[in-house]
Amino acid sequence: MLMDLAKQLTILQGEQYSNSSIAKLHWQYGKNKYNETGLSILKKRHHFIKTACTITKENMQARLETSLILHHIPRTTISDNTDIPVTAIFWRIFSLTDIADFIQNVGDKNPIHKGSNAIIPGILLLSEVLNTVMDSKEIIMRFNNAALAGQPLYWNQLNKNQAEVYSKKGKVFNLIIGKPVKNRRDING
């Protein structure tokens, strides 16, 4: 379902959405709670847009709320930071091929996800979070810095419901993990 939601989000194409970055993602999965399906614009301001993509299957719903900063290329040139918490463990490296496969699959045309310094798409990171935290029906990700293809990422579990992910360049995102899912079927489909 997450890939279907990502494809809905890519309806936002064109110059006004080019070089935009995700500030926050809010993933929810559970009983039908929203009336709308598809892509909805929740808020729109000069350089900010908040969207919701919703899919309903039978009596279950997946929803992805996305807060985008328009025409904003996230920071990627922070000097190397060796202050990765000692409790952090190696999590994942995303290759250029991983990113290219993802953007082709969902139809993402944002140029910040292309080239030798490709920024890892936030929804690709969310997909891997869902594979890591396999029983959650609600996840909130707040992005601090961009992570580039080839950068090792480190997972720091703060407590049962909070984690952070770091690269050697700094904190990439904070994570709030919500209530567990009873039946994980179809979440990442």
Side-chain angles (χ1 to χ4, degrees):
M1 287 183 129
L2 180 60
M3 293 306 120
D4 294 329
L5 294 169
K7 288 175 185 177
Q8 285 182 10
L9 188 61
T10 62
I11 292 169
L12 302 176
Q13 298 284 341
E15 185 60 34
Q16 71 187 75
Y17 301 106
S18 184
N19 291 316
S20 296
S21 61
I22 294 175
K24 179 181 169 185
L25 290 172
H26 185 180
W27 158 263
Q28 300 168 73
Y29 180 78
K31 298 276 184 198
N32 288 354
K33 162 169 142 172
Y34 301 98
N35 292 327
E36 75 273 357
T37 58
L39 175 67
S40 303
I41 306 295
L42 302 178
K43 285 183 190 175
K44 190 168 185 177
R45 295 203 171 92
H46 186 62
H47 287 285
F48 173 83
I49 187 169
K50 184 175 181 180
T51 66
C53 299
T54 309
I55 293 177
T56 302
K57 286 188 180 178
E58 298 171 14
N59 66 340
M60 299 301 283
Q61 219 169 37
R63 182 176 175 99
L64 180 63
E65 293 181 7
T66 307
S67 298
L68 290 166
I69 302 172
L70 303 176
H71 308 293
H72 172 75
I73 299 173
R75 295 182 297 185
T76 58
T77 56
I78 298 170
S79 61
D80 279 348
N81 174 5
T82 55
D83 293 337
I84 295 172
V86 294
T87 54
I89 59 170
F90 172 77
W91 181 50
R92 180 83 158 77
I93 295 175
F94 291 88
S95 68
L96 286 171
T97 303
D98 294 331
I99 295 170
D101 290 348
F102 174 82
I103 65 173
Q104 182 178 357
N105 184 31
V106 300
D108 186 339
K109 304 234 185 292
N110 193 337
I112 67 173
H113 302 310
K114 297 178 181 175
S116 59
N117 288 323
I119 293 173
I120 303 166
I123 298 173
L124 178 55
L125 289 166
L126 174 60
S127 176
E128 193 63 23
V129 166
L130 288 169
N131 288 330
T132 302
V133 183
M134 298 180 75
D135 64 347
S136 183
K137 67 178 183 179
E138 185 171 15
I139 291 177
I140 298 171
M141 296 172 69
R142 293 182 195 277
F143 291 87
N144 299 70
N145 294 295
L148 301 177
Q151 285 182 337
L153 299 178
Y154 301 88
W155 183 280
N156 186 38
Q157 190 75 38
L158 300 173
N159 59 44
K160 179 181 171 186
N161 297 83
Q162 294 180 311
E164 305 167 318
V165 170
Y166 288 82
S167 74
K168 290 187 178 178
K169 305 261 183 205
K171 188 187 301 183
V172 178
F173 60 85
N174 295 320
L175 184 65
I176 299 171
I177 304 160
K179 301 173 187 171
V181 170
K182 289 181 182 170
N183 182 357
R184 185 167 155 69
R185 179 178 52 94
D186 246 358
I187 290 179
N188 260 332

PDB file of all heavy atoms in Angstrom, residues 153-168:
ATOM      1  N   LEU A 153      23.760   4.631   7.257  1.00  0.00           N
ATOM      2  CA  LEU A 153      22.788   5.210   8.177  1.00  0.00           C
ATOM      3  C   LEU A 153      22.765   4.361   9.448  1.00  0.00           C
ATOM      4  O   LEU A 153      22.892   3.133   9.396  1.00  0.00           O
ATOM      5  CB  LEU A 153      21.397   5.251   7.543  1.00  0.00           C
ATOM      6  CG  LEU A 153      21.280   6.097   6.272  1.00  0.00           C
ATOM      7  CD1 LEU A 153      19.870   6.016   5.704  1.00  0.00           C
ATOM      8  CD2 LEU A 153      21.670   7.542   6.539  1.00  0.00           C
ATOM      9  N   TYR A 154      22.596   5.036  10.579  1.00  0.00           N
ATOM     10  CA  TYR A 154      22.659   4.391  11.891  1.00  0.00           C
ATOM     11  C   TYR A 154      21.363   4.632  12.656  1.00  0.00           C
ATOM     12  O   TYR A 154      20.878   5.759  12.732  1.00  0.00           O
ATOM     13  CB  TYR A 154      23.854   4.944  12.694  1.00  0.00           C
ATOM     14  CG  TYR A 154      25.155   4.718  11.981  1.00  0.00           C
ATOM     15  CD1 TYR A 154      25.632   5.649  11.051  1.00  0.00           C
ATOM     16  CD2 TYR A 154      25.896   3.568  12.195  1.00  0.00           C
ATOM     17  CE1 TYR A 154      26.824   5.437  10.379  1.00  0.00           C
ATOM     18  CE2 TYR A 154      27.084   3.344  11.523  1.00  0.00           C
ATOM     19  CZ  TYR A 154      27.538   4.282  10.611  1.00  0.00           C
ATOM     20  OH  TYR A 154      28.712   4.062   9.935  1.00  0.00           O
ATOM     21  N   TRP A 155      20.821   3.580  13.236  1.00  0.00           N
ATOM     22  CA  TRP A 155      19.554   3.595  13.973  1.00  0.00           C
ATOM     23  C   TRP A 155      19.864   3.713  15.463  1.00  0.00           C
ATOM     24  O   TRP A 155      20.613   2.909  16.013  1.00  0.00           O
ATOM     25  CB  TRP A 155      18.819   2.298  13.694  1.00  0.00           C
ATOM     26  CG  TRP A 155      17.470   2.175  14.321  1.00  0.00           C
ATOM     27  CD1 TRP A 155      17.194   1.835  15.615  1.00  0.00           C
ATOM     28  CD2 TRP A 155      16.215   2.364  13.675  1.00  0.00           C
ATOM     29  NE1 TRP A 155      15.835   1.803  15.813  1.00  0.00           N
ATOM     30  CE2 TRP A 155      15.212   2.127  14.638  1.00  0.00           C
ATOM     31  CE3 TRP A 155      15.842   2.711  12.385  1.00  0.00           C
ATOM     32  CZ2 TRP A 155      13.861   2.215  14.347  1.00  0.00           C
ATOM     33  CZ3 TRP A 155      14.492   2.793  12.087  1.00  0.00           C
ATOM     34  CH2 TRP A 155      13.516   2.557  13.055  1.00  0.00           C
ATOM     35  N   ASN A 156      19.254   4.707  16.109  1.00  0.00           N
ATOM     36  CA  ASN A 156      19.414   4.880  17.549  1.00  0.00           C
ATOM     37  C   ASN A 156      18.036   4.804  18.204  1.00  0.00           C
ATOM     38  O   ASN A 156      17.238   5.738  18.085  1.00  0.00           O
ATOM     39  CB  ASN A 156      20.085   6.223  17.857  1.00  0.00           C
ATOM     40  CG  ASN A 156      20.406   6.373  19.321  1.00  0.00           C
ATOM     41  OD1 ASN A 156      20.803   5.423  19.976  1.00  0.00           O
ATOM     42  ND2 ASN A 156      20.245   7.567  19.843  1.00  0.00           N
ATOM     43  N   GLN A 157      17.759   3.695  18.876  1.00  0.00           N
ATOM     44  CA  GLN A 157      16.469   3.505  19.547  1.00  0.00           C
ATOM     45  C   GLN A 157      16.527   4.218  20.893  1.00  0.00           C
ATOM     46  O   GLN A 157      17.315   3.862  21.753  1.00  0.00           O
ATOM     47  CB  GLN A 157      16.195   2.008  19.736  1.00  0.00           C
ATOM     48  CG  GLN A 157      14.803   1.683  20.185  1.00  0.00           C
ATOM     49  CD  GLN A 157      13.781   1.827  19.062  1.00  0.00           C
ATOM     50  OE1 GLN A 157      14.050   1.494  17.916  1.00  0.00           O
ATOM     51  NE2 GLN A 157      12.609   2.337  19.405  1.00  0.00           N
ATOM     52  N   LEU A 158      15.692   5.243  21.068  1.00  0.00           N
ATOM     53  CA  LEU A 158      15.690   6.020  22.305  1.00  0.00           C
ATOM     54  C   LEU A 158      14.850   5.353  23.387  1.00  0.00           C
ATOM     55  O   LEU A 158      15.212   5.344  24.557  1.00  0.00           O
ATOM     56  CB  LEU A 158      15.177   7.433  22.042  1.00  0.00           C
ATOM     57  CG  LEU A 158      15.994   8.245  21.034  1.00  0.00           C
ATOM     58  CD1 LEU A 158      15.305   9.554  20.716  1.00  0.00           C
ATOM     59  CD2 LEU A 158      17.399   8.478  21.563  1.00  0.00           C
ATOM     60  N   ASN A 159      13.696   4.842  23.000  1.00  0.00           N
ATOM     61  CA  ASN A 159      12.813   4.099  23.887  1.00  0.00           C
ATOM     62  C   ASN A 159      11.861   3.301  23.003  1.00  0.00           C
ATOM     63  O   ASN A 159      12.042   3.253  21.788  1.00  0.00           O
ATOM     64  CB  ASN A 159      12.062   5.028  24.868  1.00  0.00           C
ATOM     65  CG  ASN A 159      11.218   6.076  24.165  1.00  0.00           C
ATOM     66  OD1 ASN A 159      10.508   5.787  23.194  1.00  0.00           O
ATOM     67  ND2 ASN A 159      11.287   7.313  24.636  1.00  0.00           N
ATOM     68  N   LYS A 160      10.839   2.714  23.588  1.00  0.00           N
ATOM     69  CA  LYS A 160       9.918   1.857  22.834  1.00  0.00           C
ATOM     70  C   LYS A 160       9.259   2.590  21.660  1.00  0.00           C
ATOM     71  O   LYS A 160       8.987   1.998  20.620  1.00  0.00           O
ATOM     72  CB  LYS A 160       8.849   1.332  23.796  1.00  0.00           C
ATOM     73  CG  LYS A 160       7.820   0.447  23.180  1.00  0.00           C
ATOM     74  CD  LYS A 160       6.804   0.010  24.224  1.00  0.00           C
ATOM     75  CE  LYS A 160       5.649  -0.702  23.563  1.00  0.00           C
ATOM     76  NZ  LYS A 160       4.589  -1.025  24.497  1.00  0.00           N
ATOM     77  N   ASN A 161       9.017   3.885  21.808  1.00  0.00           N
ATOM     78  CA  ASN A 161       8.265   4.627  20.805  1.00  0.00           C
ATOM     79  C   ASN A 161       9.059   5.709  20.072  1.00  0.00           C
ATOM     80  O   ASN A 161       8.461   6.456  19.295  1.00  0.00           O
ATOM     81  CB  ASN A 161       7.035   5.279  21.458  1.00  0.00           C
ATOM     82  CG  ASN A 161       6.092   4.240  22.008  1.00  0.00           C
ATOM     83  OD1 ASN A 161       6.291   3.762  23.111  1.00  0.00           O
ATOM     84  ND2 ASN A 161       5.098   3.876  21.239  1.00  0.00           N
ATOM     85  N   GLN A 162      10.345   5.814  20.306  1.00  0.00           N
ATOM     86  CA  GLN A 162      11.122   6.865  19.645  1.00  0.00           C
ATOM     87  C   GLN A 162      12.476   6.339  19.191  1.00  0.00           C
ATOM     88  O   GLN A 162      13.124   5.573  19.906  1.00  0.00           O
ATOM     89  CB  GLN A 162      11.346   8.053  20.581  1.00  0.00           C
ATOM     90  CG  GLN A 162      10.066   8.780  20.945  1.00  0.00           C
ATOM     91  CD  GLN A 162      10.340   9.937  21.869  1.00  0.00           C
ATOM     92  OE1 GLN A 162      11.039   9.797  22.866  1.00  0.00           O
ATOM     93  NE2 GLN A 162       9.786  11.093  21.533  1.00  0.00           N
ATOM     94  N   ALA A 163      12.864   6.792  18.005  1.00  0.00           N
ATOM     95  CA  ALA A 163      14.173   6.450  17.462  1.00  0.00           C
ATOM     96  C   ALA A 163      14.679   7.634  16.654  1.00  0.00           C
ATOM     97  O   ALA A 163      13.919   8.555  16.324  1.00  0.00           O
ATOM     98  CB  ALA A 163      14.087   5.198  16.588  1.00  0.00           C
ATOM     99  N   GLU A 164      15.955   7.590  16.336  1.00  0.00           N
ATOM    100  CA  GLU A 164      16.586   8.594  15.469  1.00  0.00           C
ATOM    101  C   GLU A 164      17.454   7.841  14.471  1.00  0.00           C
ATOM    102  O   GLU A 164      17.950   6.759  14.777  1.00  0.00           O
ATOM    103  CB  GLU A 164      17.505   9.521  16.272  1.00  0.00           C
ATOM    104  CG  GLU A 164      16.865  10.211  17.426  1.00  0.00           C
ATOM    105  CD  GLU A 164      17.873  10.848  18.367  1.00  0.00           C
ATOM    106  OE1 GLU A 164      18.915  10.220  18.654  1.00  0.00           O
ATOM    107  OE2 GLU A 164      17.603  11.971  18.807  1.00  0.00           O
ATOM    108  N   VAL A 165      17.631   8.448  13.306  1.00  0.00           N
ATOM    109  CA  VAL A 165      18.546   7.882  12.324  1.00  0.00           C
ATOM    110  C   VAL A 165      19.584   8.947  11.982  1.00  0.00           C
ATOM    111  O   VAL A 165      19.241  10.111  11.760  1.00  0.00           O
ATOM    112  CB  VAL A 165      17.793   7.385  11.069  1.00  0.00           C
ATOM    113  CG1 VAL A 165      18.760   7.027   9.950  1.00  0.00           C
ATOM    114  CG2 VAL A 165      16.937   6.167  11.424  1.00  0.00           C
ATOM    115  N   TYR A 166      20.846   8.519  11.972  1.00  0.00           N
ATOM    116  CA  TYR A 166      21.973   9.408  11.731  1.00  0.00           C
ATOM    117  C   TYR A 166      22.769   8.945  10.521  1.00  0.00           C
ATOM    118  O   TYR A 166      22.799   7.756  10.204  1.00  0.00           O
ATOM    119  CB  TYR A 166      22.946   9.386  12.923  1.00  0.00           C
ATOM    120  CG  TYR A 166      22.440  10.075  14.155  1.00  0.00           C
ATOM    121  CD1 TYR A 166      21.588   9.424  15.039  1.00  0.00           C
ATOM    122  CD2 TYR A 166      22.822  11.385  14.445  1.00  0.00           C
ATOM    123  CE1 TYR A 166      21.128  10.060  16.183  1.00  0.00           C
ATOM    124  CE2 TYR A 166      22.365  12.024  15.585  1.00  0.00           C
ATOM    125  CZ  TYR A 166      21.520  11.351  16.443  1.00  0.00           C
ATOM    126  OH  TYR A 166      21.060  11.985  17.565  1.00  0.00           O
ATOM    127  N   SER A 167      23.431   9.895   9.875  1.00  0.00           N
ATOM    128  CA  SER A 167      24.527   9.595   8.963  1.00  0.00           C
ATOM    129  C   SER A 167      25.758  10.232   9.607  1.00  0.00           C
ATOM    130  O   SER A 167      25.631  10.892  10.643  1.00  0.00           O
ATOM    131  CB  SER A 167      24.272  10.186   7.576  1.00  0.00           C
ATOM    132  OG  SER A 167      24.463  11.584   7.590  1.00  0.00           O
ATOM    133  N   LYS A 168      26.907  10.084   9.010  1.00  0.00           N
ATOM    134  CA  LYS A 168      28.099  10.722   9.573  1.00  0.00           C
ATOM    135  C   LYS A 168      28.055  12.240   9.397  1.00  0.00           C
ATOM    136  O   LYS A 168      28.891  12.949   9.918  1.00  0.00           O
ATOM    137  CB  LYS A 168      29.364  10.127   8.959  1.00  0.00           C
ATOM    138  CG  LYS A 168      29.577   8.709   9.443  1.00  0.00           C
ATOM    139  CD  LYS A 168      30.894   8.137   9.006  1.00  0.00           C
ATOM    140  CE  LYS A 168      31.029   6.739   9.575  1.00  0.00           C
ATOM    141  NZ  LYS A 168      32.248   6.092   9.173  1.00  0.00           N
TER     142      LYS A 168
END
